[in-house]
Amino acid sequence: MGPKGQGRRVVVGIDGSPASYEALRWAVRHARLTGAAVDAVAAYELPGVAGWSAPPVDAGFDGAQAERALADEIQTVLVGADDVRLREHVVPGNPAEVLTEAASGAELLVVGSRGRGGFTSLLLGSVSQQCALHAPCPVVIVRPDTTERA
């Protein structure tokens, strides 16, 4: 991500969920008001890296797929938001760890309240909860809302 001291920066986690899209919109609105750049970060984990249950996977394929998906999501979510500097980052690793590391030197870390995990009855997702506990900067947790747009 960006080096420390290189201007104002807001990091936002993107995972394809409605909450992460709303977090992206929120981050762009905030950046517009403060003159910050937005670092949109998508993290992906390779199946089988943490255990023995999955077959081998071509790491290049997953990274390329994640980069295309992030670019498509940003294009879809942020129609008409060309006035904010936005950088896209696709990083392999545990999402909570990737986001807290990316937030080093940022003024804010913005995440959705719930990702694509299966426990929809929980108030916070595991990634947003871990970010709130371990991020090196203030964290904004955004709930999905389909009424506002960037």
Side-chain angles (χ1 to χ4, degrees), residues 13-24:
I14 305 294
D15 70 358
S17 69
S20 77
Y21 295 161
E22 203 57 41
L24 177 59

Side-chain angles (χ1 to χ4, degrees), residues 28-125:
V28 166
R29 285 191 302 267
H30 175 81
R32 191 177 285 133
L33 293 171
T34 64
V38 174
D39 284 329
V41 179
Y44 66 96
E45 291 187 285
L46 296 175
V49 170
W52 298 93
S53 62
V57 175
D58 177 8
F61 173 77
D62 283 340
Q65 183 180 13
E67 288 173 5
R68 281 191 306 275
L70 177 62
D72 291 347
E73 289 170 5
I74 288 173
Q75 193 70 19
T76 300
V77 172
L78 295 182
V79 174
D82 298 334
D83 58 331
V84 173
R85 261 188 355 244
L86 187 117
R87 298 175 291 235
E88 302 170 15
H89 307 277
V90 177
V91 184
N94 174 281
E97 292 172 7
V98 166
L99 289 170
T100 55
E101 185 176 317
S104 178
E107 67 181 43
L108 282 177
L109 171 59
V110 184
V111 294
S113 61
R114 298 279 320 134
R116 295 185 304 177
F119 299 104
T120 56
S121 62
L122 296 176
L123 180 62
L124 288 179

Side-chain angles (χ1 to χ4, degrees), residues 1-20:
M1 289 5 90
K4 292 180 184 177
Q6 195 179 38
R8 301 179 79 159
R9 219 168 42 89
V10 175
V11 174
V12 59
I14 305 294
D15 70 358
S17 69
S20 77

